[in-house]
Amino acid sequence: MGNNVIVVGAGAAGMIAAVFAAENGAKVTILEKMQRVGKKLLITGKGRCNITNVADIKDLIKNMHGNGSFLYSSFHNFSNNDVIDFFESLGVKTKVERGGRVFPESDKAIDVVDALLRKMDSLDITVLKDIAVKKIKKDNNRVTGVVDKKGEFYPADKVIIATGGSSYPATGSSGDGYLMAEQIGHSIIPIKPSLVPLETEEEWVKIAQGLSLKNVKVSILVENKKVADDFGEMLFTHYGVSGPIILSLSKVVAESLNNSKLVELSINLKPALSMEKLNNRVQRDFEKFSKKQIKNALNELLPNKLIDIIIDLAYINPDKMINQITKEERLRLIEQITDLRLTIIKTRPVAEAIVTAGGVNVKEINPKTMESKIVEGLYFAGEVVDVDGYTGGYNLQAAFSMGYLAGKAAAGQ
């Protein structure tokens, strides 16, 4: 008879760990505190589930900016190609989109969760929901099982903690795994939001709320020095900014804000045009609409929601006729279009982060098996571990790869 394995948490890492533990002969039980499994998986990729990225392993590691090298064994043992093959074998056809991101062909995250549920069912994996595990039990430094919040004991030869981070607590990832790990002797690297929207000092974002910008370049300036930039899509919200490139840059912002530095965001609305070409373009528009007021003459150049904001920031009277605009005013307008500044005052709370940085210290985990170096028979997988990456399928790939290693090792293979 194989090992009796308990997996705590039915998210991406937990379900994959359960599948590979069962495939390797273990008797597997998943304990999930929510009434539904895979809740966070259902909201990833805006409900489309960005399961991985087709980048080579070197780039996968590079895009896991928090402890990427720890994942070397995980990515080599269960690569992005393995993830794609695995889901295809479960009937989930995939497609590759911009930036190498891999999605189900159906664009439905529910198909990924359903496929995993069917696979778990076929392997006789027991899934117990509404069970909140409180602590791990051990004897002579070896795992003996877990205890839930009601005091009930569940015996096990091996335990895999796959509880997620502290982001999106409504999905069940509310930081329980950190407490369990800490109680049993592990050290926790302090939790910070990694992929998270940003709050701005400027109130004008409320006017632009809901506006999504595509093909823009955003730079992060710390004490007026550029430290990072990204190109793509962003979104204005009532509190500040969000969207893919903002999330990707947010970890740099969080670290700089922690050091009490002035952090600004510079948006270039027309990154494809050189200053000269943009100047020519603006002059052409000015000739075309010379008899209009400036507030009615920028529709072809700028999104409607930004016109009044940019005119105001450029110190131009919105009622002024185009043919009366001075060269200085035109240059101020161009400066706002290429360097629209926002002051970042803080990140949104960890609860709103897509991914949390921090977690169980990777130095205390064997990267080849995901087993604890402190307690025998205890394994970790997914976001509970101190690893985090950019958007684009990297974080899910990491969860799947760690889950694979943990599941296989816990089964005794």
Side-chain angles (χ1 to χ4, degrees):
M1 186 64 202
N3 280 326
N4 174 18
V5 175
I6 282 180
V7 179
V8 185
M15 288 194 278
I16 289 283
V19 164
F20 285 99
E23 281 207 330
N24 285 282
K27 178 181 176 297
V28 182
T29 303
I30 296 184
L31 303 180
E32 167 56 52
K33 75 172 189 183
M34 305 303 283
Q35 287 170 331
R36 236 187 132 168
V37 305
K39 272 193 95 166
K40 195 168 173 188
L41 257 179
L42 290 171
I43 58 170
T44 60
K46 294 180 185 163
R48 294 169 60 219
C49 199
N50 182 186
I51 57 172
T52 186
N53 194 293
V54 293
D56 60 29
I57 287 175
K58 190 167 90 271
D59 283 332
L60 287 180
I61 289 169
K62 208 187 291 172
N63 278 287
M64 293 301 295
H65 48 75
N67 292 319
S69 54
F70 171 77
L71 295 166
Y72 186 85
S73 284
S74 298
F75 285 156
H76 274 277
N77 278 283
F78 197 57
S79 70
N80 42 10
N81 293 329
D82 295 329
V83 166
I84 293 164
D85 291 347
F86 172 75
F87 281 109
E88 296 258 351
S89 78
L90 301 186
V92 180
K93 291 205 176 338
T94 60
K95 59 179 176 177
V96 181
E97 292 189 7
R98 186 176 55 81
R101 296 172 304 162
V102 180
F103 290 93
E105 236 173 46
S106 66
D107 280 331
K108 291 190 181 115
I110 188 81
D111 291 352
V112 173
V113 175
D114 284 348
L116 285 166
L117 284 171
R118 283 194 304 273
K119 180 69 174 169
M120 294 194 308
D121 201 39
S122 74
L123 290 164
D124 286 332
I125 293 166
T126 305
V127 181
L128 302 178
K129 295 172 219 165
D130 265 338
I131 291 173
V133 173
K134 194 173 178 191
K135 60 180 176 195
I136 314 293
K137 294 290 273 182
K138 63 174 183 174
D139 184 30
N140 284 336
N141 223 37
R142 187 176 174 82
V143 156
T144 56
V146 301
V147 177
D148 72 8
K149 291 224 162 111
K150 292 174 184 161
E152 195 160 332
F153 176 65
Y154 298 81
D157 302 312
K158 307 283 178 78
V159 172
I160 301 171
I161 297 185
T163 48
S166 286
S167 49
Y168 287 132
T171 64
S173 57
S174 51
D176 301 356
Y178 306 134
L179 292 171
M180 289 177 221
E182 208 166 22
Q183 282 167 353
I184 209 160
H186 275 275
S187 52
I188 304 299
I189 305 299
I191 306 307
K192 296 192 296 288
S194 176
L195 299 176
V196 69
L198 305 172
E199 291 190 23
T200 63
E201 193 176 276
E202 290 76 7
E203 291 281 321
W204 62 254
V205 292
K206 290 186 172 70
I207 301 164
Q209 180 182 348
L211 173 65
S212 179
L213 299 174
K214 289 187 167 70
N215 304 320
V216 294
K217 183 181 178 185
V218 170
S219 303
I220 302 298
L221 307 165
V222 176
E223 303 290 352
N224 236 351
K225 189 166 157 249
K226 186 163 103 168
V227 295
D229 60 35
D230 205 351
F231 173 86
E233 206 176 317
M234 65 163 286
L235 171 76
F236 288 104
T237 65
H238 67 282
Y239 54 75
V241 285
S242 187
I245 55 176
I246 300 298
L247 297 175
S248 290
L249 293 165
S250 62
K251 191 179 186 190
V252 177
V253 172
E255 283 164 0
S256 304
L257 288 169
N258 274 350
N259 298 324
S260 306
K261 296 197 166 161
L262 169 69
V263 183
E264 291 173 294
L265 191 124
S266 164
I267 307 165
N268 184 346
L269 297 164
K270 300 287 176 190
L273 299 178
S274 65
M275 277 302 201
E276 190 186 350
K277 280 185 177 160
L278 181 58
N279 194 10
N280 292 341
R281 163 78 201 271
V282 171
Q283 283 179 307
R284 276 200 312 275
D285 279 16
F286 277 15
E287 279 163 32
K288 187 173 171 184
F289 302 118
S290 64
K291 294 197 164 56
K292 282 190 168 188
Q293 293 170 307
I294 188 164
K295 66 182 180 188
N296 299 321
L298 298 176
N299 310 49
E300 291 183 11
L301 189 67
L302 296 168
N304 280 339
K305 279 190 175 182
L306 284 183
I307 291 174
D308 290 346
I309 294 164
I310 284 181
I311 291 172
D312 184 49
L313 291 169
Y315 301 113
I316 302 171
N317 177 349
D319 297 323
K320 199 167 185 180
M321 304 302 280
I322 286 286
N323 55 17
Q324 292 172 347
I325 297 285
T326 65
K327 183 187 174 187
E328 283 73 24
E329 286 173 323
R330 189 182 78 245
L331 293 176
R332 288 206 301 269
L333 185 77
I334 288 167
E335 188 187 344
Q336 289 305 323
I337 292 168
T338 56
D339 183 12
L340 182 56
R341 290 279 177 112
L342 283 163
T343 314
I344 306 302
I345 44 175
K346 59 181 176 180
T347 63
R348 292 296 279 174
V350 164
E352 286 180 41
I354 293 175
V355 170
T356 39
V360 180
N361 191 337
V362 295
K363 293 186 175 131
E364 299 166 0
I365 301 169
N366 179 343
K368 291 187 167 67
T369 59
M370 301 308 296
E371 186 174 13
S372 162
K373 291 178 179 176
I374 290 169
V375 180
E376 215 182 316
L378 178 65
Y379 299 78
F380 296 96
E383 212 187 322
V384 70
V385 179
D386 180 24
V387 293
D388 61 287
Y390 292 115
T391 55
Y394 304 106
N395 290 292
L396 266 184
Q397 174 65 47
F400 293 143
S401 294
M402 286 188 270
Y404 171 86
L405 277 189
K408 244 183 134 179
Q413 296 300 311

